[in-house]
Amino acid sequence: MDWLEDAAAVPSETHRQQAAARQSELTKPPGSLGELEALAIRLAALQGREKPALQRVAITIFAADHGVAAEGVSAFPQEVTVAMIANFVQGGAAISVLARELGASLEVVDVGAATATGHLAGVVQARVGDGTANFCLGPAMSEQQLALALAVGREALLRAERPELFIGGEMGIANTTAASAIAAALLGLPAAALSGPGTGLNPDGVSHKAQVIERALALHRDRLDGPLAVLQHLGGFEIAALCGAYIAAAQQGVPVLVDGFISSVAALLALRIRPDIAPWLLLSHASAEPGHATVVAAIGQRPIIDLGMRLGEGSGAAICLPLLRLACALHNNMATFAEAGVAKE
Amino acid sequence: MDWLEDAAAVPSETHRQQAAARQSELTKPPGSLGELEALAIRLAALQGREKPALQRVAITIFAADHGVAAEGVSAFPQEVTVAMIANFVQGGAAISVLARELGASLEVVDVGAATATGHLAGVVQARVGDGTANFCLGPAMSEQQLALALAVGREALLRAERPELFIGGEMGIANTTAASAIAAALLGLPAAALSGPGTGLNPDGVSHKAQVIERALALHRDRLDGPLAVLQHLGGFEIAALCGAYIAAAQQGVPVLVDGFISSVAALLALRIRPDIAPWLLLSHASAEPGHATVVAAIGQRPIIDLGMRLGEGSGAAICLPLLRLACALHNNMATFAEAGVAKE
């Protein structure tokens, strides 16, 4: 895991200032494009050019299973993970539709579903195990599995060959349970403060889920010293891969559009491992999963949109992408006051 | 104005139910696409088809001037209206960039700028006057001008030849003053509750603007009986044209994506004239103009996005369009549980 020691790239202050100056010359009242102005300026700084662009966007979905599913914490059975991996590569899932519409690349990585996916054409095989272990009984993964899963994320990012933006997504039955456990451990909060319905638990189910997480937090309490230990003990493989991809993206100078609850927990882990990656992570949407607001507050950014989504797969980030693209188009292509002969305020 | 008596089209309950049933069969947890699900279902009902589409989108900008600009209520001089009309047709304005990016048609209609625009190629000439009169001194427009301006909006909508979605925009120095005055009159609220910085007034300027509106409301008090009288006395031509376009769209069965503050005031007027048009109006974005929230509450819908925009020109609606398009794409193209062989909850 030596690569985790490499510093994140540094955004270009020169290009940030150039872009801010350009915004003030465009034919509109100052500030009237609201957050779109700040986003364009931020992307200019991240991409190191006066006119940012988001044509080449890479979406990678990391899928894996969770031993804690045995505790009855999800509304769906575990075999749905592999069925959805098939749906991703066959083009029927939400993120598959979105990637096509957006002209983004889509890679699906099996980081460790409970059963093999080798029969599914188009799935990248990077299995770290047959799902994590049940973290109510022991660590979700070994140290070696942790290192492998983080590296799966980095390798996926490197395969994408410096896209103009990276979107990570995840799939894994019971992975909101793992994400809630991780967030509770990182933030020192009770499980109930971070547990929600996930794919559709009723209130009793949410209560049971929080109790399962509390048991795990109690079991591992003495070993949860630092983000890597939290990730190892509470899982999952796909969350570790996302975390690794985010860190690698920042190291490579690739902006990241973070999806919802689980992705934001991966981002929080990544920020705890390498705080210098913060400029590279843009939060896309506010998830309907109740714990997301707490994780967002800990990250310290405001998501761009709030549509009550809670699907995962990177879908909320993908939905947000056109807004960023239009922010860039406005920044790059609007006339200046001088060009248009319009009087300034 | 006889055409205002024609009823709005009626959305298809059959297609609404078909679309809702389809949503429940798509490979995702029920409700996990949040507002995107409701939007797709609503568009299916409005368009009368199980699979809605938003490829053919018509954007029309109505521009006009306001006599009340003489009271010093805007941060920009009145000649900016014509300069921006030129910028619209020459492709340098925000809405010009957005229309190109979105593949939407863009029509620019001069409903009555203070000076002529006949020299500008591509501007539709539909001038109702050389700007409205100063509503602090008398009615903003005559009854005949009101009828003409409403008809300009209807004719623009009819020229668009049944688009799958209509977006109206506006430009006119001082038109937030007219819109605030109209909203105050319609809602029976003090001017201060609906007055804001517009293109960039400082707090003293906002206070002055509210006083100007209060003077006008006092002057016309006895004649503001009903939405058409409010519109005639407080203006402006472009607001009347937007109002006419919205009503005509609903009569023709064309869904409308409403922009920000001024457009929402036009929508409120249209709803007061013909309450049956309500299903056809979708609010796109929450404007940073402070009065917008009050107008939105009166309309009774939640805008889809909130990016702190306050530019007008239809720009907020245009920014929102890709989200609606993706909502349709997901609805139309995702696999069902049966097609994908995924177990339901």
Side-chain angles (χ1 to χ4, degrees):
Chain A
M1 297 195 280
D2 288 353
W3 63 277
L4 294 176
E5 306 297 322
D6 295 344
V10 177
S12 166
E13 179 60 19
T14 303
H15 291 95
R16 195 197 67 72
Q17 290 178 9
Q18 281 179 1
R22 177 171 173 78
Q23 275 289 331
S24 71
E25 290 299 320
L26 300 178
T27 45
K28 59 181 172 55
S32 60
L33 286 173
E35 295 179 36
L36 300 180
E37 299 185 10
L39 287 166
I41 293 168
R42 184 171 175 188
L43 287 166
L46 294 176
Q47 296 188 340
R49 41 184 165 174
E50 189 180 349
K51 296 188 173 184
L54 297 172
Q55 293 317 300
R56 291 190 306 104
V57 173
I59 304 176
T60 303
I61 307 300
F62 301 103
D65 271 309
H66 295 259
V68 71
E71 303 289 336
V73 290
S74 176
F76 284 82
Q78 194 171 50
E79 55 265 31
V80 165
T81 301
V82 172
M84 283 302 298
I85 291 174
N87 200 22
F88 292 144
V89 293
Q90 288 158 8
I95 194 62
S96 319
V97 172
L98 293 171
R100 280 201 301 276
E101 292 289 322
L102 297 167
S105 67
L106 177 63
E107 185 175 90
V108 182
V109 181
D110 178 359
V111 203
T115 58
T117 60
H119 61 293
L120 296 170
V123 176
V124 176
Q125 297 295 321
R127 295 171 58 84
V128 172
D130 299 335
T132 54
N134 182 346
F135 64 47
C136 289
L137 307 176
M141 63 186 91
S142 68
E143 279 190 52
Q144 188 187 11
Q145 285 178 313
L146 172 63
L148 286 171
L150 286 162
V152 165
R154 175 171 181 267
E155 286 152 19
L157 188 283
L158 295 178
R159 269 197 306 277
E161 294 185 337
R162 298 188 59 75
E164 291 168 321
L165 186 80
F166 175 76
I167 292 174
E170 42 55 48
M171 169 68 212
I173 292 301
N175 69 359
T176 58
T177 301
S180 295
I182 291 166
L186 290 178
L187 300 175
L189 291 170
L194 286 149
S195 301
T199 53
L201 292 175
N202 63 22
D204 283 350
V206 176
S207 174
H208 170 67
K209 181 175 171 179
Q211 289 164 13
V212 166
I213 294 170
E214 283 296 353
R215 275 165 49 207
L217 292 174
L219 174 68
H220 300 296
R221 179 172 299 139
D222 297 338
R223 286 165 220 91
L224 301 180
D225 51 346
L228 289 170
V230 168
L231 182 49
Q232 183 203 332
H233 285 84
L234 301 173
F237 298 143
E238 83 281 46
I239 297 173
L242 271 174
C243 177
Y246 292 159
I247 292 172
Q251 291 169 335
Q252 297 287 319
V254 173
V256 172
L257 191 56
V258 178
D259 191 33
F261 180 61
I262 294 153
S263 296
S264 296
V265 170
L268 184 60
L269 278 165
L271 285 164
R272 293 291 171 96
I273 295 168
R274 283 217 65 85
D276 65 349
I277 69 168
W280 300 93
L281 304 183
L282 292 84
L283 299 190
S284 62
H285 83 114
S287 168
E289 179 71 8
H292 192 224
T294 303
V295 177
V296 163
I299 292 173
Q301 284 189 42
R302 193 174 102 85
I304 298 166
I305 54 175
D306 180 358
L307 298 172
M309 296 174 67
R310 52 179 174 80
L311 176 57
E313 305 180 3
S315 60
I319 289 285
C320 191
L321 174 60
L323 305 189
L324 299 186
R325 284 178 165 170
L326 292 176
C328 292
L330 289 164
H331 180 82
N332 298 345
N333 301 329
M334 278 180 72
T336 63
F337 284 105
E339 287 166 355
V342 176
K344 286 189 77 169
E345 184 182 6
Chain B
M1 297 196 281
D2 288 353
W3 64 276
L4 295 176
E5 306 298 321
D6 296 345
V10 177
S12 165
E13 179 60 20
T14 303
H15 290 95
R16 196 196 66 73
Q17 289 178 10
Q18 280 179 1
R22 177 169 174 79
Q23 276 289 332
S24 72
E25 289 300 320
L26 299 178
T27 44
K28 58 181 172 56
S32 60
L33 286 174
E35 295 179 35
L36 299 179
E37 299 185 9
L39 286 166
I41 293 167
R42 184 170 174 190
L43 286 166
L46 294 176
Q47 296 187 341
R49 39 185 166 175
E50 189 180 351
K51 296 189 172 184
L54 297 172
Q55 293 316 299
R56 291 190 308 104
V57 173
I59 305 176
T60 303
I61 308 299
F62 301 103
D65 271 308
H66 295 258
V68 71
E71 303 289 335
V73 291
S74 175
F76 284 83
Q78 195 171 49
E79 55 265 33
V80 166
T81 302
V82 172
M84 283 302 298
I85 291 174
N87 200 22
F88 292 144
V89 293
Q90 288 158 8
I95 193 62
S96 318
V97 172
L98 293 171
R100 280 201 300 277
E101 292 289 323
L102 297 166
S105 66
L106 177 63
E107 186 176 89
V108 183
V109 181
D110 178 0
V111 203
T115 58
T117 59
H119 61 294
L120 296 170
V123 177
V124 176
Q125 298 295 321
R127 295 170 58 82
V128 172
D130 299 335
T132 53
N134 182 347
F135 65 47
C136 289
L137 306 176
M141 64 186 90
S142 67
E143 277 191 52
Q144 188 187 12
Q145 286 178 313
L146 172 63
L148 286 170
L150 287 163
V152 166
R154 175 171 182 267
E155 286 153 18
L157 187 284
L158 295 178
R159 269 197 305 278
E161 294 184 338
R162 299 189 59 79
E164 291 168 320
L165 186 80
F166 175 76
I167 292 174
E170 41 57 46
M171 169 68 212
I173 293 301
N175 69 359
T176 59
T177 302
S180 294
I182 291 166
L186 289 178
L187 300 175
L189 290 170
L194 286 149
S195 301
T199 52
L201 292 176
N202 62 23
D204 283 350
V206 175
S207 174
H208 170 66
K209 181 174 170 178
Q211 289 164 15
V212 166
I213 294 170
E214 283 297 353
R215 276 166 48 208
L217 293 174
L219 174 68
H220 300 297
R221 179 173 298 139
D222 296 340
R223 285 165 221 92
L224 300 179
D225 51 344
L228 290 169
V230 167
L231 183 49
Q232 183 203 330
H233 285 84
L234 302 172
F237 297 142
E238 83 281 44
I239 298 173
L242 270 174
C243 177
Y246 292 159
I247 292 172
Q251 290 169 335
Q252 297 287 320
V254 173
V256 171
L257 192 56
V258 178
D259 190 33
F261 181 60
I262 294 153
S263 296
S264 295
V265 170
L268 184 60
L269 278 164
L271 285 163
R272 292 292 170 95
I273 295 167
R274 283 218 65 84
D276 64 349
I277 69 168
W280 300 92
L281 304 183
L282 292 85
L283 299 190
S284 62
H285 83 113
S287 168
E289 179 71 7
H292 193 224
T294 304
V295 176
V296 163
I299 292 174
Q301 283 190 41
R302 193 174 103 85
I304 298 165
I305 55 175
D306 179 358
L307 298 173
M309 296 175 68
R310 51 179 174 81
L311 176 57
E313 306 179 2
S315 60
I319 288 286
C320 191
L321 174 60
L323 305 189
L324 299 188
R325 284 178 166 169
L326 292 176
C328 293
L330 289 164
H331 180 83
N332 298 345
N333 301 330
M334 278 180 71
T336 63
F337 284 105
E339 287 166 356
V342 176
K344 286 188 78 168
E345 183 182 4

